[in-house]
């Protein structure tokens, strides 16, 4: 049995370029699919957020439209409501990485608001990649990698090949013109190599111990790759 740390957003609003707030949180499938797969394999999960806040689920991610119909939407919602770990998080500042075997970061626009600039999250993710422990990150979750800067000012993930929610997907979702910054651009500027697949189609990249998924549809395949690395 492995112990997996879920680093999750505590933000329920995303600040847009004009200063207005857009309701957000974590995207349900990106937490639920890995959660279900890892628990089914017998692994233990701990959720950590900034300040130990209960991670808010983005209500848009619970609709039948984005979950392939009402039946799966009800299943996903059920996991977000009943998974005890999602409702009893620890504070990121209290996390000791040695206690865990892997780290997973779900997306949603929430991480662009808080994890992208959170020093505790950045510290954990920098230590994780250097330790060789599996790090899985999906969709907007790679925003958290932006804070993973080492003591000498270099980026801990520079040179890694990843994927993330793309500029094209942000445009198709109607958010690109409203955003303060675009994830693909920021990751590229930080020295990461971002590989883009077809919009909203499953796409996973694996580079050493770093596993990334492009969008919500990549959550299941990403969980499979994480399970492979856990052995």
């Amino acid at each position: 049995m492995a112990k997996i740390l879920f680093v999750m957003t505590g933000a329920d609003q995303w600040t847009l370029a004009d200063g207005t707030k857009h309701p957000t949180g974590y995207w349900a499938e990106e937490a639920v699919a890995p959660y279900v797969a890892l628990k089914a394999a017998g692994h233990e999960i701990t959720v950590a957020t900034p300040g130990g806040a209960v991670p808010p689920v983005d209500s848009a991610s619970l609709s039948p439209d984005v979950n392939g119909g009402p039946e799966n939407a009800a299943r996903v919602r059920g996991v977000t409501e009943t998974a005890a770990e999602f409702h009893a998080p620890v504070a990121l500042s209290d996390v000791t990485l040695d206690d865990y075997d892997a780290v997973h970061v779900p997306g949603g626009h929430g991480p662009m608001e808080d994890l992208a600039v959170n020093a505790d999250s950045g510290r954990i993710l920098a230590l994780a990649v250097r330790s060789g422990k599996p790090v899985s990150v999906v969709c907007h979750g790679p925003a958290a990698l932006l804070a993973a800067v080492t003591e000498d000012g270099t980026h801990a993930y520079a040179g890694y090949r990843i994927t993330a929610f793309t500029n094209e997907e942000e445009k198709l979702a109607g958010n690109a013109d409203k955003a303060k910054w675009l994830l693909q651009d920021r990751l590229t500027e930080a020295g990461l190599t971002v590989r883009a697949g077809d919009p909203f189609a499953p796409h996973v990249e694996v580079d050493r111990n770093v596993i990334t998924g492009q969008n919500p549809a990549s959550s299941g395949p990403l969980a499979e790759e994480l399970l492979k690395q856990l052995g």
Side-chain angles (χ1 to χ4, degrees), residues 55-103:
V57 62
D58 189 326
S59 60
S61 70
L62 299 173
S63 75
D65 290 348
V66 300
N67 286 292
E71 186 175 340
N72 195 52
R75 182 190 67 82
V76 169
R77 180 188 289 273
V79 176
T80 66
E81 293 175 347
T82 61
E85 295 90 343
F86 293 164
H87 300 279
V90 300
L92 282 166
S93 57
D94 293 336
V95 168
T96 300
L97 185 66
D98 288 347
D99 295 338
Y100 301 95
D101 302 296
V103 179

Side-chain angles (χ1 to χ4, degrees), residues 6 21-23 33-34 46 61 78 90-91 106 110 117 135 149 161 175 178 193 210 212 216 218-219 221:
F6 274 39
K21 305 287 188 179
H22 181 76
T46 298
S61 70
V90 300
V117 294
V135 180
V149 178
R161 185 187 73 253
N175 295 311
K178 305 173 188 175
T193 299
V210 178
T212 48
S218 307
S219 304

Side-chain angles (χ1 to χ4, degrees), residues 78-161:
V79 176
T80 66
E81 293 175 347
T82 61
E85 295 90 343
F86 293 164
H87 300 279
V90 300
L92 282 166
S93 57
D94 293 336
V95 168
T96 300
L97 185 66
D98 288 347
D99 295 338
Y100 301 95
D101 302 296
V103 179
H104 173 65
V105 189
H109 283 108
M112 294 179 70
E113 185 76 14
D114 59 358
L115 298 183
V117 294
N118 185 277
D120 293 311
S121 174
R123 168 183 59 84
I124 292 163
L125 289 166
L127 287 171
V129 71
R130 286 183 295 185
S131 73
K133 295 180 180 183
V135 180
S136 67
V137 195
V138 62
C139 199
H140 290 91
L145 302 181
L146 296 171
V149 178
T150 61
E151 294 85 353
D152 63 5
T154 58
H155 198 282
Y157 290 79
Y160 276 81
R161 185 187 73 253

